[in-house]
């Protein structure tokens, strides 16, 4: 299975709170995003180059709660907005143990994503969720380029994920205290999430 970096995920208790914080930090406004009815969430997006983006996600107060845990541990998320996870494209997409593949769509976007039964991927969310956009469009490629680029993604965990199938020089995986940090080039200079 080949893995390719797709996007990072920032969680917030409310979308307006997260949008104000993240737009201020990055120096650019997000794209609208939309709702995920099957998860009871909604999002905003920032392009980070071809086929890559930042996703801000929160529970949608207007949506029904799903009969299973929401992705990225959102059911238990508390505190200020912060980077919580990342997602890789997987070819072919296979569900890791303890996950199921869900089909989703919004407009002409169609994707399949492997969602952990617990809502949180292994290693405290540091093992990436796997996604497949199929033959359709990728959301980042229809967003304006506002000059954001991922410089490096640092992962640290006592039992870090083993990602031999991901060959990306921007990824640093180390054994240590749990943590995730994304270093991003912005029009305002480098920022770290």
């Amino acid at each position: 299975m080949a893995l390719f970096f797709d996007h990072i995920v920032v969680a917030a208790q409310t979308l307006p709170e997260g949008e104000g914080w993240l737009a201020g930090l990055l120096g650019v406004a997000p794209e609208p995003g939309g709702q995920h009815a099957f998860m009871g969430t909604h999002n905003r997006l920032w392009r980070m180059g071809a086929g890559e983006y930042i996703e801000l996600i929160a529970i949608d107060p207007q949506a029904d709660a799903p009969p299973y845990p929401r992705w990225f541990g959102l059911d238990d998320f508390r505190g200020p907005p912060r980077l919580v996870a990342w997602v890789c494209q997987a070819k072919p997409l296979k569900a890791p143990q303890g996950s199921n593949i869900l089909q989703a769509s919004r407009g002409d976007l169609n994707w399949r994503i492997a969602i952990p039964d617990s809502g949180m991927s292994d290693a405290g969310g540091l093992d990436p969720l796997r996604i497949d956009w199929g033959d359709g469009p990728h959301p980042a490629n229809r967003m304006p380029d506002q000059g954001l680029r991922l410089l490096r993604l640092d992962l640290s965990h006592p039992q870090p994920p083993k990602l031999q199938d991901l060959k990306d020089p921007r990824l640093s995986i180390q054994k240590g205290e749990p943590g995730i940090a994304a270093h991003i080039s912005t029009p305002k200079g480098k920022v770290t999430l």
Side-chain angles (χ1 to χ4, degrees):
M1 173 175 54
L3 294 175
F4 307 92
F5 176 83
D6 194 79
H7 66 278
I8 56 175
V9 180
V10 174
Q13 286 188 209
T14 70
L15 209 54
E17 175 192 20
E19 185 176 340
W21 174 77
L22 196 50
L25 187 65
L26 299 173
V28 295
E31 291 302 300
Q35 285 89 11
H36 312 106
F38 69 102
M39 278 288 165
T41 59
H42 54 175
N43 67 2
R44 297 288 182 267
L45 307 172
W46 287 260
R47 180 181 169 140
M48 281 198 303
E52 300 182 356
Y53 63 100
I54 300 168
E55 177 179 28
L56 169 68
I57 194 162
I59 292 174
D60 183 350
Q62 305 301 316
D64 294 330
Y68 40 77
R70 288 180 176 95
W71 47 17
F72 310 117
L74 286 177
D75 290 316
D76 299 318
F77 182 83
R78 303 289 179 272
R82 62 188 174 276
L83 180 62
V84 295
W86 62 302
V87 179
C88 284
Q89 288 190 51
K91 304 278 185 187
L93 179 63
K94 295 179 183 173
Q97 185 174 358
S99 299
N100 288 296
I101 295 176
L102 296 180
Q103 179 78 35
S105 64
R106 182 172 60 237
D108 65 344
L109 295 175
N110 293 286
W111 68 96
R112 296 169 55 238
I113 187 163
I115 303 293
D117 297 337
S118 68
M120 182 67 90
S121 60
D122 288 344
L126 298 188
D127 190 46
L129 262 64
R130 274 86 167 161
I131 194 168
D132 179 6
W133 294 100
D135 295 327
H138 189 283
N141 297 338
R142 55 177 50 178
M143 292 184 241
D145 188 342
Q146 296 178 306
L148 304 177
R149 296 293 183 271
L150 178 68
L151 300 172
R152 196 172 78 241
L153 183 64
D154 296 330
L155 306 174
S156 176
H157 194 270
Q159 296 178 326
K162 294 176 175 54
L163 300 168
Q164 302 90 317
D165 297 325
L166 178 62
K167 309 295 186 215
D168 192 323
R170 301 172 299 173
L171 181 64
S172 169
I173 303 174
Q174 298 187 21
K175 193 169 188 170
E177 292 296 314
I180 181 171
H183 307 278
I184 300 166
S185 174
T186 79
K188 295 171 58 173
K190 186 177 116 174
V191 300
T192 299
L193 302 177

